[in-house]
Amino acid sequence: MNNRAVLITGISGFLGSQIARQLLLDGYKVFATRRKKTDLARCQDFKSDISWIDLEDGDWQNKIIKLMPDIIIHSAWLGVSANDRDNWSVQFSNVEFVLNLLSIAKSCKVEKFIAFGSQAEYGVFSGVIDEKYPTNPSSSYASAKVAVSQIINNYSTLNGLNWYWFRLFSFFGEQEDSNWLIPTLIERINNLERMDMTPGEQKYAYMYVGDLAKIISKIVGSNLESGIYNISSSSAISLVELTQKILNIIKPKNSQINFGAIPYRANQSMLIQGSNKKLELALGIEIQETYFEESLTSVIKYKLNEN
């Protein structure tokens, strides 16, 4: 049994719930923050194994300090939906919570402070890029992510904390919200509904969320140099190929997916993929991924049974 304890924020989210589930499987104690209105649907199978901290309790920070977590994983973020990605007030409301967590991390002298950024920090690009690629945020969401990463860097460096900022590229899984691309494609194809798309030649590096959670659990138990790391699938797939794979699995009577009905944007990125070389060198391993069609089939079965 692993006696080390991990505090997770955002445990009810798509990524946070997967990380919590994996950490529990790997034997960690898991603490998590929540509010009374938090929807724990993604946590049903393990919520009784979590030590919960109510953020609406005026003393929530001291309660965490008394629990003395060894690692903090910050996956909570307000304003992830498309409607809020250019809402500056919503995006920068995330800063105060991060500062509170960093203060807790300092008091607990945690081994690691882990938080998540986004490929959006790099702005518009086409290709396979590494962490040396300059940030060029083009939304308030991306700008807030860049700002928070710098705050975490500076605070942690000044206070002797090990810090890690993981820039995540595209990922997918069974419990992903229905408004994202893969769940939308599954629903439209299954229901024989019309969906207008671009020509679909652009490629995205989709990583299965279960594989991402395993990587984070591996990082929790490893000694890494503090810093910024990409996490991306090692292969990219075009939207045309992705759609065809979904069609092959569902086998609808006909398809209402219309490629070419929408033109590309003027600055359309044709390949969005991150290099994992820095992280792989730091971990001393090659990142392993589930065969894409196997994970995609699992997601499709889950989504169809969900409905």
Side-chain angles (χ1 to χ4, degrees), residues 244-280:
Q244 189 58 56
K245 287 184 183 296
I246 296 173
L247 286 165
N248 291 343
I249 295 168
I250 295 179
K251 296 181 174 61
K253 293 180 180 178
N254 56 67
S255 171
Q256 296 295 320
I257 306 299
N258 300 303
F259 284 105
I262 300 173
Y264 289 127
R265 297 190 301 269
N267 59 348
Q268 178 67 57
S269 299
M270 298 309 293
L271 173 60
I272 298 180
Q273 184 177 340
S275 168
N276 292 321
K277 287 182 180 179
K278 181 181 177 181
L279 180 58
E280 289 179 329

Side-chain angles (χ1 to χ4, degrees), residues 77-141:
W77 192 271
L78 297 175
V80 175
S81 67
N83 291 337
D84 288 326
R85 292 241 166 171
D86 275 313
N87 187 321
W88 289 91
S89 61
V90 169
Q91 293 304 329
F92 278 90
S93 67
N94 290 289
V95 173
E96 183 179 359
F97 189 46
V98 169
L99 290 173
N100 286 330
L101 288 175
L102 286 168
S103 178
I104 291 168
K106 179 183 176 182
S107 295
C108 296
K109 298 180 180 179
V110 299
E111 297 172 21
K112 297 181 179 73
F113 187 93
I114 295 170
F116 299 109
S118 166
Q119 66 186 38
E121 295 172 64
Y122 294 117
V124 178
F125 67 90
S126 285
V128 181
I129 62 171
D130 62 20
E131 295 83 354
K132 294 177 183 178
Y133 194 90
T135 56
N136 185 29
S138 57
S139 66
S140 57
Y141 167 79

